[in-house]
Amino acid sequence: MDLNTKGKAEHTYDAIVVGSGISGGWAAKELCEKGLKTIVLERGHKLEHIVDYKTANSAPWELQWQNTPSRELIAQQEKQNRTGYTVRPASSYLFVDDQDHPYEEKQRFDWMRGYHTGGRSLMWGRQSYRLSPMDMESNAKEGISIPWPIKYADLAPWYDYVETFAGISGANDGLEQLPDGVFQPPMAMTPPELELKAGVEKKWKGRKVVNARVAHLTKPTAEQTALGRSSCMYRNLCIRGCPFGAYFSSQSATLKAAANTGNLTLRPHSIVHSVIYDDKAGKATGVRIIDEVTMETTEFYAKIIFLNASAVASTSILLNSKSDRFPNGMDESGSLGGYLMDHHLGVGANGYMETNLDKVQFGRRPGGFYIPRYRNFSEETGKAKYLRGFGYQGAGFRQGWSRGIEGFGADFKKELTSFGPWGISMGGFGECLPYENNRISLSPDKTDKWGLPLVVADASFKENEYAMREDMMNDAAEMLEAIGAKGINTFKQEPSIGMGIHEMGTARMGSSSKESVLNANNQVWGAENVFCTDGAAMTSAGCQNPSLTYMALTARAADFAISEMKKGNI
Ligand SMILES: Cc1cc2nc3c(=O)[nH]c(=O)nc-3n(C[C@H](O)[C@H](O)[C@H](O)COP(=O)(O)OP(=O)(O)OC[C@H]3O[C@@H](n4cnc5c(N)ncnc54)[C@H](O)[C@@H]3O)c2cc1C
Ligand code: SF4
């Protein structure tokens, strides 16, 4: 009896956070800093800041075939390789092994994941944009799906808060569709980007070309340097982990701040299976985990639980959490698992510019330019045949030896050591509407090696997204044409859900338990001490990269959770 009591006490914390990626890192920091003894349960292995970034300083010749994947590696990580750039000798160790981590695709679904401390905060592209008031109101205005239960004004102070701590380089551009924020100095635009900005803004009222906003330090604050972070060195090797802590990751920033409080316990190899719900008390008491290595099942207990395992994984945990009150998982609306969204991409144009040939860029800037949404936005930019819109990410860069020069002899050698023209390219990121039948569910009969039911994905882009893609391709070419770019080449690949690596919406926020899984403070309806603040919570997608919004939602919900705890409400 004594032993059991001790065992339970050892497994009891004030707060449990599931997952240590972008949103879990934030939950850990906020809860620890507010004095809660917090355990972060992370399914993957421990990956230490700096020392475990094993290829961060490797030269091309130190990597197999100059960083080209072998057939064996591709076979092992077939799904993770679908992007064409993630499974490389330098970065493949940060992506899951698809043989160990299978899922079912009723329709193609590219589920790109990293199971280790820090999750995808280590591999993300760091593009960081706020949603705008328009983005959070369009569901309500257009009668699509359900309205967000919160407005931009509710999130704005939390965007300020997370930007200040994370460090976002960018400029305040004064645009309604891309709200300004708390930024460190932007990275300079290259000559063709400046030409694009001047040409596009002159020709089209309402179209803007701005500096990419990226989570890189360009003028670190005292708080950031105290965490051991320093300015970006412009190496653009970020997908291998940053030894300077210059881009925002859980390791470089949030987990470190959480650990500094003395309140953090990080438990790797802890696969959360489900939330334990006490039907009598009407609240959750903890979570069940399976140890990744020993396969042992155990339980952890806490007053509050934050689910931050990423959209699909948190939704799987909720689906798996069955009790008398929730016989089909923690939801009474039927929306859990539905409304899966992602951004559709792989469409745009590129070309080259023969102006400014007396200039070259310095360093390898890990950013570029951004063209915020202009379709269906104002009178000037016109109404399209589809709902919502898209933004572009792009870059203009001086082409070097790798520009595919052919030939031999002295002339060939000379060309190899000279610069070519400026290349310029842009790719669209389009908003996807929330569709009820874009779903993930759990397999009734297939499990992985830890006995967890496999995720089954059944989702696709629809007419609205396909119609938008026409403009995404043609507008890109039209803008390059307008500035005199040569060799313009358009591209429009078949889009698939997951390829945007922005899964969202499968446990959405709403105003009633009849139509949503989470309320306006990210609490699970009926289990108000369980919070979910990753992409699952998104009621609509906008067209901006979403991780900054998960950070803001998480910091806001953690603040709310603490105040509710103090009031004795949870
Ligand atoms: C190559 C790439 C480029 C990207 N570029 C951008 C970009 O430019 N801008 C942007 O906004 N976003 C970008 N993203 C997406 C971004 O990485 C994700 O939106 C973000 O990491 C999601 O945060 P999260 O906390 O929800 O999940 P993650 O960061 O994925 O973390 C989830 C964590 O939970 C753990 N976990 C999962 N299941 C369980 C379980 N059952 N029990 C315990 N732990 C569990 C995982 O191991 C992981 O550590 C990119 C992603 C990739 C891979
Ligand atoms: S470019 Fe900057 S953020 Fe990226 S790895 Fe280099 S120093 Fe780090």
Side-chain angles (χ1 to χ4, degrees):
M1 186 69 187
D2 262 5
L3 266 179
N4 283 345
T5 316
K6 192 168 164 241
K8 187 160 184 186
E10 276 173 4
H11 279 206
T12 300
Y13 292 80
D14 295 328
I16 292 172
V17 175
V18 181
S20 62
I22 288 188
S23 63
W26 267 102
K29 167 179 145 30
E30 295 304 300
L31 298 171
C32 286
E33 285 183 346
K34 287 183 173 122
L36 300 198
K37 292 282 175 202
T38 303
I39 184 163
V40 174
L41 297 169
E42 166 54 56
R43 74 169 292 161
H45 58 273
K46 198 165 182 186
L47 200 149
E48 296 259 17
H49 187 42
I50 305 177
V51 288
D52 286 334
Y53 305 150
K54 52 188 182 193
T55 56
N57 290 320
S58 304
W61 55 89
E62 290 171 321
L63 297 161
Q64 177 186 268
W65 307 329
Q66 296 205 14
N67 207 16
T68 309
S70 64
R71 278 193 206 143
E72 290 74 28
L73 190 60
I74 290 173
Q76 202 69 24
Q77 293 180 289
E78 178 267 324
K79 294 182 184 182
Q80 306 306 301
N81 185 48
R82 289 179 184 176
T83 59
Y85 65 89
T86 40
V87 175
R88 292 267 187 274
S91 52
S92 66
Y93 76 100
L94 292 172
F95 290 85
V96 297
D97 180 329
D98 287 313
Q99 311 307 315
D100 275 349
H101 301 288
Y103 59 94
E104 301 216 312
E105 300 170 272
K106 284 203 172 159
Q107 300 183 71
R108 179 173 163 171
F109 174 58
D110 306 315
W111 193 14
M112 305 295 153
R113 294 161 287 163
Y115 289 164
H116 45 249
T117 325
R120 291 178 292 184
S121 78
L122 287 180
M123 309 94 90
W124 72 311
R126 307 155 314 274
Q127 299 271 338
S128 301
Y129 305 99
R130 296 182 177 205
L131 288 180
S132 71
M134 163 182 72
D135 296 314
M136 300 189 70
E137 286 160 17
S138 22
N139 273 6
K141 280 194 181 145
E142 295 161 1
I144 297 283
S145 183
I146 57 165
W148 277 86
I150 53 171
K151 297 207 172 319
Y152 173 74
D154 297 308
L155 269 192
W158 295 103
Y159 276 128
D160 288 353
Y161 181 76
V162 296
E163 284 165 350
T164 305
F165 177 80
I168 312 291
S169 134
N172 280 318
D173 302 294
L175 304 174
E176 208 181 312
Q177 73 275 42
L178 195 72
D180 287 340
V182 183
F183 299 137
Q184 300 194 0
M187 298 177 191
M189 283 194 192
T190 58
E193 293 170 359
L194 289 169
E195 280 187 70
L196 184 75
K197 181 174 175 62
V200 166
E201 293 183 1
K202 187 168 167 214
K203 182 155 183 184
W204 289 280
K205 273 198 159 177
R207 292 195 198 181
K208 304 283 173 199
V209 181
V210 303
N211 298 89
R213 298 175 183 173
V214 283
H216 289 252
L217 302 183
T218 51
K219 197 178 174 200
T221 61
E223 185 182 38
Q224 288 153 350
T225 45
L227 287 171
R229 305 184 62 195
S230 63
S231 264
C232 182
M233 302 288 159
Y234 308 105
R235 311 163 349 123
N236 202 9
L237 294 177
C238 320
I239 201 168
R240 306 179 189 180
C242 179
F244 305 95
Y247 73 79
F248 171 85
S249 68
S250 299
Q251 270 87 340
S252 68
T254 44
L255 288 180
K256 216 165 190 185
N260 285 349
T261 64
N263 289 328
L264 175 73
T265 304
L266 178 66
R267 190 181 196 278
H269 303 298
S270 307
I271 306 175
V272 173
H273 169 278
S274 50
V275 174
I276 307 164
Y277 186 76
D278 181 335
D279 283 299
K280 276 199 200 118
K283 62 179 183 181
T285 52
V287 298
R288 297 178 192 91
I289 71 149
I290 303 160
D291 190 290
E292 190 199 10
V293 182
T294 64
M295 301 283 190
E296 198 187 338
T297 302
T298 173
E299 296 180 351
F300 285 90
Y301 310 97
K303 295 187 193 96
I304 54 172
I305 298 161
F306 266 69
L307 296 181
N308 296 101
S310 81
V312 174
S314 290
T315 302
S316 312
I317 294 169
L318 288 169
L319 284 166
N320 225 2
S321 304
K322 295 179 181 164
S323 57
D324 288 348
R325 165 76 192 270
F326 297 113
N328 303 313
M330 296 185 92
D331 170 46
E332 44 197 34
S333 69
S335 65
L336 182 63
Y339 305 94
L340 175 63
M341 299 173 282
D342 185 20
H343 292 125
H344 55 102
L345 36 72
V347 53
N350 52 44
Y352 64 89
M353 306 278 292
E354 287 184 325
T355 46
N356 291 298
L357 294 183
D358 57 332
K359 301 189 180 86
V360 291
Q361 80 260 15
F362 175 73
R364 297 187 184 129
R365 183 193 49 169
F369 63 83
Y370 187 70
I371 301 182
R373 174 174 154 188
Y374 50 85
R375 289 286 179 208
N376 291 323
F377 165 58
S378 69
E379 298 274 308
E380 291 158 345
T381 55
K383 201 162 161 36
K385 283 183 277 179
Y386 46 84
L387 297 172
R388 319 281 166 104
F390 53 88
Y392 289 102
Q393 283 173 32
F397 47 90
R398 194 78 198 264
Q399 295 178 342
W401 60 268
S402 61
R403 62 189 187 275
I405 310 161
E406 286 178 11
F408 59 91
D411 288 347
F412 177 57
K413 273 194 194 161
K414 198 171 157 207
E415 247 200 294
L416 271 184
T417 51
S418 68
F419 283 103
W422 290 92
I424 183 155
S425 70
M426 59 172 101
F429 280 66
E431 179 161 358
C432 165
L433 295 178
Y435 301 102
E436 184 182 359
N437 61 357
N438 270 353
R439 273 199 173 261
I440 59 145
S441 56
L442 297 181
S443 170
D445 48 14
K446 295 205 179 94
T447 54
D448 65 13
K449 69 182 193 192
W450 296 276
L452 287 163
L454 295 194
V455 165
V456 182
D458 188 4
S460 57
F461 292 118
K462 320 268 185 228
E463 215 177 297
N464 198 64
E465 292 77 42
Y466 278 96
M468 192 185 291
R469 294 174 74 74
E470 293 302 314
D471 272 1
M472 290 163 84
M473 181 178 76
N474 295 332
D475 289 8
E478 168 184 87
M479 287 189 268
L480 292 182
E481 226 170 79
I483 58 160
K486 297 190 173 145
I488 296 172
N489 166 48
T490 56
F491 55 93
K492 181 155 63 78
Q493 295 154 8
E494 185 55 29
S496 51
I497 297 214
M499 191 51 84
I501 327 186
H502 295 160
E503 328 82 66
M504 289 171 269
T506 41
R508 64 186 180 176
M509 292 168 76
S511 302
S512 139
S513 61
K514 295 202 171 58
E515 55 184 21
S516 59
V517 180
L518 306 172
N519 69 15
N521 290 304
N522 297 77
Q523 296 167 284
V524 173
W525 292 108
E528 277 78 13
N529 61 336
V530 180
F531 294 78
C532 176
T533 60
D534 56 27
M538 300 284 280
T539 314
S540 72
C543 63
Q544 300 87 322
N545 307 55
S547 305
L548 188 73
T549 300
Y550 311 163
M551 299 187 208
L553 284 172
T554 306
R556 177 175 176 270
D559 184 67
F560 176 81
I562 303 277
S563 72
E564 286 297 280
M565 268 176 93
K566 282 188 185 148
K567 289 183 207 153
N569 291 343
I570 53 174

